[in-house]
Amino acid sequence: MKEQTKNFETKCVHSGVGEYEFGSVVPPIYQTSTFKFNSAQHGAALFAGEEKGYIYTRMLNPTVEALEDSIAELEGGYKGLGCASGMAAVHTVFAALLKTGDHVVCSAAVYGPTTTLLNTIMKNFGVETTFVDTSDLEAVKNAIKKNTKLFYIETPGNPTLAISDLAAIAKLAHSHNALMAVDNTFMSPALQRPIEFGADIVLHSLTKFLNGHADVVGGVVVVKDEAAYKHFRKILNQIGGVIDPFNSFLVHRGIKTLSLRMERHCESAQIVAEYLEKHPLVKSISFPGLKSHPQYELAKKQQKGPGGMITFEVEGGLEAGQVLMNSVKLCQLAVSLGGVESLIQHPASMTHFSMGKEGRVAAGISDGLVRLSVGIENVNDIISDLDNALEKVKEVVESALAHKE
Ligand SMILES: *Cc1c(COP(=O)(O)O)cnc(C)c1O
């Protein structure tokens, strides 16, 4: 019989799911720290890698592995490695691939703590980083050094939503004997599969779209072949930042609805972005589904949808932005993203505060920027919430103008 190739939506429901005791339809939660050996010889064989099996949950656990297999299949990779958080995944990638004297080319618009990790801990270990606008291929070329070992790309970048050309950068990386790792958190494999464009490593904060329900912190690294998997597994086992069985179970459950959720996120974010772009108090907006986005065409080529994230700036700067965030009622004022509920936050004072003002200016993050994660509520309710809040902003802006006169 010919093996049937499954479509993505089907994979979301079935990937990583095997056969279980009692005919259980979902993977059981193996809430155990350790696994009994059949004999001393069996234990020795497992440790020597001569037999397959589970030893200790930091090393591997069946519930965790079910999740890892699911995401690896969705990304088109060989295997996944479940991490305690997205940052644990980022750290695992750096620890597995870099050593003293190496150089990294990193997207300037990148998750704030990733910048901080490179600028502090990795720097202390002798790894040097050049942050560059990776949506500008010439700038990427100019940043390359003899010792460049890793191109670390986030696209769309957080929070500016700048889009980088994955195929072009992968080619560049490989021609310099370097690897390309992509943080695919903002897209999820439903909208973008970096391995198809030549990425060597894909990572995610599971906390966001993959889990999708704002109740888990987790991360994952996906690699392309067995050699990389063995190496990364050894590193993760030493670092110790692994996800636990219960959180793995929850994320695996969340993934079943990933393609459905992403469709709604994209559809609603498009409507919200079009509403905001027309609003007189919205000074600027970045959303890959708008023709005004500088990489609109690239987004269409590389992504299966615009995603659920919008960043925009209202007239009146930081103060007006704060009025907006304090006035919304349905959109919740909280960091994080990618959950079923709409969230709004202020990068300069929140997610990207640790980068410092200078770093933010270089990455194009102004003080007035607001980031919105569009949830799966009815889009009319999201818009009327924003509309009411923008009315409040109008009062503030008008009274400020009146004072000036
Ligand atoms: C949230 C996030 C991370 C970090 O993930 P945690 O689970 O919070 O550690 C990394 N990259 C991106 C793009 C993120 O949005």
Side-chain angles (χ1 to χ4, degrees):
M1 212 169 70
K2 215 167 77 183
E3 183 161 1
Q4 201 188 340
T5 49
K6 287 178 270 169
N7 289 298
F8 188 83
E9 295 81 354
T10 309
K11 286 183 188 169
C12 286
V13 178
H14 294 285
S15 64
V17 181
E19 298 289 328
Y20 308 104
E21 206 182 6
F22 308 121
S24 174
V25 169
V26 295
I29 305 171
Y30 289 98
Q31 191 72 21
T32 182
S33 59
T34 194
F35 298 84
K36 265 194 292 191
F37 307 130
N38 303 330
S39 65
Q41 289 78 0
H42 177 223
L46 287 176
F47 269 95
E50 291 156 3
E51 255 183 74
K52 272 202 145 69
Y54 301 98
I55 299 172
Y56 182 65
T57 283
R58 173 160 46 74
M59 299 164 79
L60 199 58
N61 171 291
T63 314
V64 176
E65 193 174 20
L67 169 70
E68 294 172 341
D69 288 348
S70 162
I71 298 168
E73 189 177 343
L74 297 181
E75 284 288 1
Y78 171 72
K79 268 282 202 184
L81 299 104
C83 301
S85 66
M87 283 312 298
V90 176
H91 185 202
T92 300
V93 170
F94 293 159
L97 299 179
L98 300 167
K99 61 177 191 319
T100 304
D102 287 347
H103 174 251
V104 182
V105 173
C106 180
S107 301
V110 76
Y111 186 65
T114 301
T115 311
T116 313
L117 174 57
L118 285 165
N119 277 338
T120 57
I121 298 175
M122 296 313 295
K123 194 173 177 184
N124 291 343
F125 283 97
V127 172
E128 185 201 1
T129 305
T130 304
F131 294 94
V132 64
D133 176 4
T134 49
S135 70
D136 175 353
L137 216 52
E138 279 310 304
V140 177
K141 281 182 194 159
N142 292 335
I144 299 171
K145 299 188 180 188
K146 261 208 200 101
N147 54 340
T148 302
K149 290 287 156 56
L150 179 65
F151 290 67
Y152 185 91
I153 309 296
E154 201 175 294
T155 181
N158 186 357
T160 62
L161 306 179
I163 292 172
S164 304
D165 188 332
L166 289 174
I169 298 173
K171 227 187 227 168
L172 209 55
H174 297 153
S175 72
H176 284 82
N177 249 340
L179 299 177
M180 180 170 88
V182 178
D183 183 335
N184 201 27
T185 301
F186 268 38
M187 290 276 94
S188 90
L191 301 182
Q192 177 173 277
R193 293 189 278 280
I195 288 174
E196 292 174 0
F197 298 98
D200 302 284
I201 292 118
V202 178
L203 62 127
H204 284 275
S205 168
L206 296 175
T207 316
K208 317 295 170 53
F209 289 106
L210 277 165
N211 179 54
H213 293 75
D215 51 11
V216 169
V217 169
V220 74
V221 179
V222 177
V223 294
K224 282 207 305 201
D225 57 46
E226 191 182 1
Y229 176 65
K230 281 190 168 152
H231 175 65
F232 272 75
R233 183 60 75 190
K234 198 172 70 189
I235 298 295
L236 180 58
N237 188 31
Q238 289 161 33
I239 289 179
V242 294
I243 194 168
D244 68 89
F246 184 61
N247 278 338
S248 298
F249 168 84
L250 286 175
V251 177
H252 205 167
R253 183 170 80 153
I255 287 173
K256 289 179 192 291
T257 57
L258 178 69
S259 66
L260 269 181
R261 286 186 283 109
M262 293 317 293
E263 276 172 30
R264 175 66 77 85
H265 284 300
C266 289
E267 191 185 299
S268 294
Q270 183 73 40
I271 297 168
V272 171
E274 284 169 13
Y275 156 79
L276 286 171
E277 190 171 44
K278 283 197 213 99
H279 198 289
L281 282 176
V282 174
K283 197 167 134 193
S284 65
I285 178 165
S286 177
F287 180 68
L290 293 176
K291 290 218 170 82
S292 58
H293 190 288
Q295 293 93 35
Y296 173 77
E297 291 300 331
L298 176 60
K300 276 213 297 200
K301 200 175 86 184
Q302 185 169 283
Q303 304 174 189
K304 294 192 164 55
M309 303 300 298
I310 302 172
T311 49
F312 62 102
E313 197 169 352
V314 288
E315 298 288 352
L318 174 60
E319 196 201 345
Q322 286 182 330
V323 171
L324 176 86
M325 285 183 281
N326 287 334
S327 306
V328 285
K329 294 203 168 72
L330 178 67
C331 299
Q332 300 180 63
L333 179 54
V335 297
S336 197
L337 57 106
V340 290
E341 52 285 282
S342 295
L343 299 179
I344 195 163
Q345 70 107 4
H346 178 237
S349 68
M350 298 172 185
T351 48
H352 292 70
F353 176 75
S354 73
M355 285 170 75
K357 173 99 183 170
E358 215 176 293
R360 285 194 299 275
V361 169
I365 305 166
S366 68
D367 281 349
L369 209 67
V370 172
R371 192 186 76 187
L372 176 66
S373 173
V374 178
I376 65 166
E377 302 96 339
N378 184 301
V379 68
N380 295 325
D381 295 336
I382 300 170
I383 287 181
S384 79
D385 188 39
L386 290 168
D387 210 48
N388 289 336
L390 283 164
E391 271 305 304
K392 296 260 167 60
V393 172
K394 192 172 162 201
E395 286 164 25
V396 173
V397 171
E398 277 173 0
S399 86
L401 282 179
H403 279 293
K404 268 195 202 151
E405 276 161 11

